[in-house]
Amino acid sequence: MSFKSNELNTGSFPSPIPLEVDEVVGCLRRRWGVTYDLKLLIKKDRIYLQMMWGFLEQQSFPLDEETFRENLNRTLEIINRAGQSGFVRNWLENVQAKPRLGRAITLPLPMDQRMDEFVL
């Protein structure tokens, strides 16, 4: 199944269940065999979740596992507080693309009042 970001409707994926580090790590390893780095990007008045091309198992990856998990936890905390866990969970489970060197996979997060607090 292939989604364009503007075809996803957050109303279809409400989830009071927060995303947790172990769930996301398990999903990434199950889908791609490696643990890609996830980062939030704030650009103008939008927030994007990016799946980066670097991954924890990569010899040149700059973080150890503990630091990686702490960073991922901070990213997930924002996603959960913004009520986007179901939306992101669905994307992680269904996105067909795979990050390539120098090219992240990007998910625009829907903006609402909860997301506004993260955009300055």
Side-chain angles (χ1 to χ4, degrees):
M1 178 168 8
S2 177
F3 291 113
K4 291 182 182 172
S5 59
N6 61 355
E7 292 174 347
L8 291 173
N9 175 353
T10 58
S12 301
F13 309 105
S15 178
I17 302 167
L19 279 167
E20 302 210 5
V21 170
D22 288 338
E23 175 188 0
V24 171
V25 166
C27 179
L28 294 170
R29 288 180 179 163
R30 184 176 62 256
R31 299 253 357 252
W32 294 284
V34 296
T35 315
Y36 286 113
D37 196 13
L38 298 176
K39 298 201 179 289
L40 289 174
L41 172 67
I42 299 173
K43 207 172 192 183
K44 297 188 180 182
D45 59 348
R46 294 296 318 239
I47 299 179
Y48 303 88
L49 177 64
Q50 293 192 308
M51 186 185 315
M52 308 305 289
W53 58 90
F55 51 92
L56 180 61
E57 297 82 4
Q58 192 174 23
Q59 197 168 21
S60 62
F61 193 70
L63 305 176
D64 61 28
E65 185 167 1
E66 181 179 348
T67 306
F68 171 84
R69 291 175 76 84
E70 288 170 2
N71 289 347
L72 179 56
N73 189 56
R74 280 193 292 275
T75 298
L76 296 177
E77 171 89 18
I78 293 169
I79 290 167
N80 291 332
R81 286 179 47 205
Q84 300 298 325
S85 61
F87 182 67
V88 171
R89 180 179 286 115
N90 182 69
W91 181 73
L92 287 171
E93 292 172 356
N94 293 291
V95 64
Q96 294 300 305
K98 177 180 174 182
R100 303 277 180 224
L101 183 61
R103 186 178 174 122
I105 304 300
T106 302
L107 173 67
L109 295 174
M111 296 301 294
D112 64 14
Q113 290 178 337
R114 292 177 290 190
M115 293 299 277
D116 286 345
E117 82 176 81
F118 301 105
V119 179
L120 299 177

